[in-house]
mmCIF file of all heavy atoms in Angstrom:
data_model
loop_
_atom_site.group_PDB
_atom_site.id
_atom_site.type_symbol
_atom_site.label_atom_id
_atom_site.label_comp_id
_atom_site.label_asym_id
_atom_site.label_seq_id
_atom_site.Cartn_x
_atom_site.Cartn_y
_atom_site.Cartn_z
ATOM 1 N N GLN W 1 -7.537 -13.086 6.231
ATOM 2 C CA GLN W 1 -6.292 -12.997 6.994
ATOM 3 C C GLN W 1 -5.219 -12.218 6.232
ATOM 4 O O GLN W 1 -4.503 -11.389 6.808
ATOM 5 C CB GLN W 1 -5.798 -14.406 7.333
ATOM 6 C CG GLN W 1 -6.715 -15.154 8.282
ATOM 7 C CD GLN W 1 -6.387 -16.640 8.380
ATOM 8 O OE1 GLN W 1 -5.311 -17.068 7.981
ATOM 9 N NE2 GLN W 1 -7.321 -17.421 8.909
ATOM 10 N N ILE W 2 -5.100 -12.493 4.923
ATOM 11 C CA ILE W 2 -4.086 -11.788 4.127
ATOM 12 C C ILE W 2 -4.375 -10.296 4.097
ATOM 13 O O ILE W 2 -3.473 -9.453 4.260
ATOM 14 C CB ILE W 2 -4.045 -12.361 2.698
ATOM 15 C CG1 ILE W 2 -3.509 -13.789 2.699
ATOM 16 C CG2 ILE W 2 -3.192 -11.473 1.783
ATOM 17 C CD1 ILE W 2 -3.631 -14.509 1.369
ATOM 18 N N GLN W 3 -5.623 -9.943 3.901
ATOM 19 C CA GLN W 3 -5.982 -8.530 3.804
ATOM 20 C C GLN W 3 -5.862 -7.827 5.153
ATOM 21 O O GLN W 3 -5.584 -6.625 5.203
ATOM 22 C CB GLN W 3 -7.368 -8.385 3.177
ATOM 23 C CG GLN W 3 -7.345 -8.807 1.705
ATOM 24 C CD GLN W 3 -8.673 -8.701 0.975
ATOM 25 O OE1 GLN W 3 -8.729 -8.947 -0.215
ATOM 26 N NE2 GLN W 3 -9.752 -8.351 1.650
ATOM 27 N N GLU W 4 -6.036 -8.566 6.255
ATOM 28 C CA GLU W 4 -5.797 -7.982 7.576
ATOM 29 C C GLU W 4 -4.330 -7.594 7.737
ATOM 30 O O GLU W 4 -4.010 -6.565 8.343
ATOM 31 C CB GLU W 4 -6.206 -8.965 8.684
ATOM 32 C CG GLU W 4 -7.703 -9.002 8.946
ATOM 33 C CD GLU W 4 -8.093 -10.017 10.018
ATOM 34 O OE1 GLU W 4 -7.176 -10.664 10.581
ATOM 35 O OE2 GLU W 4 -9.294 -10.154 10.283
ATOM 36 N N ILE W 5 -3.419 -8.400 7.171
ATOM 37 C CA ILE W 5 -1.992 -8.080 7.220
ATOM 38 C C ILE W 5 -1.722 -6.777 6.476
ATOM 39 O O ILE W 5 -0.988 -5.898 6.954
ATOM 40 C CB ILE W 5 -1.156 -9.236 6.620
ATOM 41 C CG1 ILE W 5 -1.270 -10.484 7.504
ATOM 42 C CG2 ILE W 5 0.305 -8.824 6.454
ATOM 43 C CD1 ILE W 5 -0.685 -11.739 6.873
ATOM 44 N N LEU W 6 -2.315 -6.633 5.288
ATOM 45 C CA LEU W 6 -2.140 -5.407 4.515
ATOM 46 C C LEU W 6 -2.707 -4.198 5.266
ATOM 47 O O LEU W 6 -2.073 -3.130 5.328
ATOM 48 C CB LEU W 6 -2.837 -5.535 3.159
ATOM 49 C CG LEU W 6 -2.192 -6.469 2.134
ATOM 50 C CD1 LEU W 6 -3.131 -6.677 0.949
ATOM 51 C CD2 LEU W 6 -0.861 -5.900 1.647
ATOM 52 N N ILE W 7 -3.882 -4.362 5.850
ATOM 53 C CA ILE W 7 -4.522 -3.251 6.561
ATOM 54 C C ILE W 7 -3.709 -2.843 7.782
ATOM 55 O O ILE W 7 -3.543 -1.647 8.064
ATOM 56 C CB ILE W 7 -5.968 -3.625 6.951
ATOM 57 C CG1 ILE W 7 -6.838 -3.728 5.689
ATOM 58 C CG2 ILE W 7 -6.557 -2.599 7.915
ATOM 59 C CD1 ILE W 7 -8.234 -4.266 5.935
ATOM 60 N N ASP W 8 -3.168 -3.816 8.507
ATOM 61 C CA ASP W 8 -2.349 -3.493 9.683
ATOM 62 C C ASP W 8 -1.150 -2.636 9.292
ATOM 63 O O ASP W 8 -0.765 -1.713 10.022
ATOM 64 C CB ASP W 8 -1.877 -4.780 10.373
ATOM 65 C CG ASP W 8 -2.996 -5.466 11.138
ATOM 66 O OD1 ASP W 8 -4.026 -4.815 11.385
ATOM 67 O OD2 ASP W 8 -2.845 -6.655 11.476
ATOM 68 N N ALA W 9 -0.551 -2.931 8.136
ATOM 69 C CA ALA W 9 0.581 -2.133 7.662
ATOM 70 C C ALA W 9 0.110 -0.746 7.207
ATOM 71 O O ALA W 9 0.734 0.275 7.522
ATOM 72 C CB ALA W 9 1.293 -2.857 6.526
ATOM 73 N N LEU W 10 -0.989 -0.709 6.468
ATOM 74 C CA LEU W 10 -1.510 0.572 5.969
ATOM 75 C C LEU W 10 -1.899 1.503 7.111
ATOM 76 O O LEU W 10 -1.700 2.722 7.023
ATOM 77 C CB LEU W 10 -2.712 0.319 5.060
ATOM 78 C CG LEU W 10 -2.400 -0.263 3.683
ATOM 79 C CD1 LEU W 10 -3.629 -0.926 3.071
ATOM 80 C CD2 LEU W 10 -1.881 0.848 2.741
ATOM 81 N N ASP W 11 -2.431 0.942 8.196
ATOM 82 C CA ASP W 11 -2.880 1.764 9.313
ATOM 83 C C ASP W 11 -1.730 2.393 10.094
ATOM 84 O O ASP W 11 -1.960 3.242 10.958
ATOM 85 C CB ASP W 11 -3.770 0.945 10.250
ATOM 86 C CG ASP W 11 -5.196 0.818 9.734
ATOM 87 O OD1 ASP W 11 -5.588 1.612 8.857
ATOM 88 O OD2 ASP W 11 -5.921 -0.085 10.208
ATOM 89 N N GLN W 12 -0.513 1.986 9.786
ATOM 90 C CA GLN W 12 0.654 2.619 10.414
ATOM 91 C C GLN W 12 1.074 3.882 9.676
ATOM 92 O O GLN W 12 1.937 4.629 10.139
ATOM 93 C CB GLN W 12 1.835 1.643 10.449
ATOM 94 C CG GLN W 12 1.603 0.403 11.288
ATOM 95 C CD GLN W 12 2.793 -0.536 11.246
ATOM 96 O OE1 GLN W 12 3.941 -0.119 11.477
ATOM 97 N NE2 GLN W 12 2.538 -1.799 10.954
ATOM 98 N N GLY W 13 0.488 4.120 8.513
ATOM 99 C CA GLY W 13 0.968 5.186 7.645
ATOM 100 C C GLY W 13 0.202 6.481 7.740
ATOM 101 O O GLY W 13 -0.956 6.531 8.164
ATOM 102 N N ARG W 14 0.889 7.536 7.330
ATOM 103 C CA ARG W 14 0.234 8.815 7.118
ATOM 104 C C ARG W 14 -0.068 9.002 5.639
ATOM 105 O O ARG W 14 -1.046 9.632 5.263
ATOM 106 C CB ARG W 14 1.130 9.945 7.603
ATOM 107 C CG ARG W 14 0.568 11.305 7.223
ATOM 108 C CD ARG W 14 0.937 12.407 8.150
ATOM 109 N NE ARG W 14 0.295 13.642 7.765
ATOM 110 C CZ ARG W 14 0.826 14.846 7.965
ATOM 111 N NH1 ARG W 14 2.003 14.957 8.526
ATOM 112 N NH2 ARG W 14 0.159 15.928 7.609
ATOM 113 N N PHE W 15 0.810 8.441 4.789
ATOM 114 C CA PHE W 15 0.631 8.498 3.345
ATOM 115 C C PHE W 15 0.839 7.113 2.753
ATOM 116 O O PHE W 15 1.459 6.248 3.364
ATOM 117 C CB PHE W 15 1.651 9.455 2.695
ATOM 118 C CG PHE W 15 1.542 10.881 3.112
ATOM 119 C CD1 PHE W 15 2.326 11.375 4.149
ATOM 120 C CD2 PHE W 15 0.676 11.751 2.459
ATOM 121 C CE1 PHE W 15 2.246 12.697 4.530
ATOM 122 C CE2 PHE W 15 0.597 13.090 2.837
ATOM 123 C CZ PHE W 15 1.379 13.561 3.877
ATOM 124 N N VAL W 16 0.327 6.938 1.520
ATOM 125 C CA VAL W 16 0.694 5.782 0.699
ATOM 126 C C VAL W 16 1.207 6.339 -0.627
ATOM 127 O O VAL W 16 0.574 7.219 -1.224
ATOM 128 C CB VAL W 16 -0.505 4.842 0.450
ATOM 129 C CG1 VAL W 16 -0.064 3.646 -0.397
ATOM 130 C CG2 VAL W 16 -1.093 4.358 1.768
ATOM 131 N N GLN W 17 2.361 5.817 -1.052
ATOM 132 C CA GLN W 17 2.951 6.250 -2.312
ATOM 133 C C GLN W 17 2.782 5.153 -3.350
ATOM 134 O O GLN W 17 3.074 3.985 -3.076
ATOM 135 C CB GLN W 17 4.438 6.568 -2.123
ATOM 136 C CG GLN W 17 5.099 7.180 -3.341
ATOM 137 C CD GLN W 17 6.531 7.592 -3.059
ATOM 138 O OE1 GLN W 17 7.304 6.829 -2.491
ATOM 139 N NE2 GLN W 17 6.883 8.807 -3.450
ATOM 140 N N ILE W 18 2.311 5.531 -4.538
ATOM 141 C CA ILE W 18 2.082 4.568 -5.621
ATOM 142 C C ILE W 18 2.851 5.054 -6.848
ATOM 143 O O ILE W 18 2.708 6.211 -7.265
ATOM 144 C CB ILE W 18 0.579 4.448 -5.962
ATOM 145 C CG1 ILE W 18 -0.228 4.093 -4.708
ATOM 146 C CG2 ILE W 18 0.358 3.405 -7.051
ATOM 147 C CD1 ILE W 18 -0.858 5.303 -4.016
ATOM 148 N N THR W 19 3.678 4.179 -7.413
ATOM 149 C CA THR W 19 4.449 4.541 -8.608
ATOM 150 C C THR W 19 4.293 3.465 -9.671
ATOM 151 O O THR W 19 4.061 2.290 -9.369
ATOM 152 C CB THR W 19 5.944 4.712 -8.281
ATOM 153 O OG1 THR W 19 6.436 3.523 -7.649
ATOM 154 C CG2 THR W 19 6.172 5.896 -7.357
ATOM 155 N N GLY W 20 4.427 3.881 -10.927
ATOM 156 C CA GLY W 20 4.274 2.967 -12.050
ATOM 157 C C GLY W 20 5.606 2.547 -12.640
ATOM 158 O O GLY W 20 6.667 3.064 -12.282
ATOM 159 N N ARG W 21 5.558 1.600 -13.568
ATOM 160 C CA ARG W 21 6.742 1.110 -14.289
ATOM 161 C C ARG W 21 6.321 0.700 -15.695
ATOM 162 O O ARG W 21 5.149 0.772 -16.049
ATOM 163 C CB ARG W 21 7.367 -0.091 -13.561
ATOM 164 C CG ARG W 21 6.427 -1.282 -13.481
ATOM 165 C CD ARG W 21 7.085 -2.516 -12.916
ATOM 166 N NE ARG W 21 6.109 -3.597 -12.795
ATOM 167 C CZ ARG W 21 6.375 -4.866 -13.008
ATOM 168 N NH1 ARG W 21 7.601 -5.244 -13.334
ATOM 169 N NH2 ARG W 21 5.431 -5.781 -12.879
ATOM 170 N N ASN W 22 7.293 0.231 -16.488
ATOM 171 C CA ASN W 22 7.025 -0.192 -17.865
ATOM 172 C C ASN W 22 6.273 0.879 -18.663
ATOM 173 O O ASN W 22 5.325 0.593 -19.387
ATOM 174 C CB ASN W 22 6.226 -1.510 -17.886
ATOM 175 C CG ASN W 22 7.019 -2.679 -17.329
ATOM 176 O OD1 ASN W 22 8.248 -2.659 -17.333
ATOM 177 N ND2 ASN W 22 6.322 -3.701 -16.855
ATOM 178 N N GLY W 23 6.718 2.118 -18.510
ATOM 179 C CA GLY W 23 6.092 3.214 -19.232
ATOM 180 C C GLY W 23 4.928 3.867 -18.518
ATOM 181 O O GLY W 23 4.403 4.877 -18.987
ATOM 182 N N ASN W 24 4.506 3.304 -17.388
ATOM 183 C CA ASN W 24 3.411 3.905 -16.631
ATOM 184 C C ASN W 24 3.949 5.070 -15.807
ATOM 185 O O ASN W 24 4.873 4.906 -15.017
ATOM 186 C CB ASN W 24 2.746 2.871 -15.722
ATOM 187 C CG ASN W 24 1.498 3.414 -15.045
ATOM 188 O OD1 ASN W 24 1.556 4.361 -14.274
ATOM 189 N ND2 ASN W 24 0.355 2.811 -15.334
ATOM 190 N N LYS W 25 3.352 6.257 -15.979
ATOM 191 C CA LYS W 25 3.865 7.478 -15.359
ATOM 192 C C LYS W 25 3.226 7.786 -14.005
ATOM 193 O O LYS W 25 3.421 8.878 -13.462
ATOM 194 C CB LYS W 25 3.631 8.658 -16.308
ATOM 195 C CG LYS W 25 4.387 8.534 -17.621
ATOM 196 C CD LYS W 25 4.242 9.782 -18.470
ATOM 197 C CE LYS W 25 2.871 9.897 -19.069
ATOM 198 N NZ LYS W 25 2.749 11.053 -20.003
#
């Protein structure tokens, strides 16, 4: 059920943006 929630949101997108922190570039 939790992963279905994530997939429903992802399927609305054209892109996914991923960024790092704590020194991760």
Side-chain angles (χ1 to χ4, degrees):
Q1 294 168 16
I2 292 171
Q3 292 180 176
E4 281 178 2
I5 294 170
L6 288 170
I7 291 172
D8 286 344
L10 287 160
D11 280 342
Q12 297 178 51
R14 172 151 184 211
F15 297 95
V16 181
Q17 187 175 47
I18 305 97
T19 55
R21 62 173 177 144
N22 294 336
N24 187 298
K25 297 186 287 185

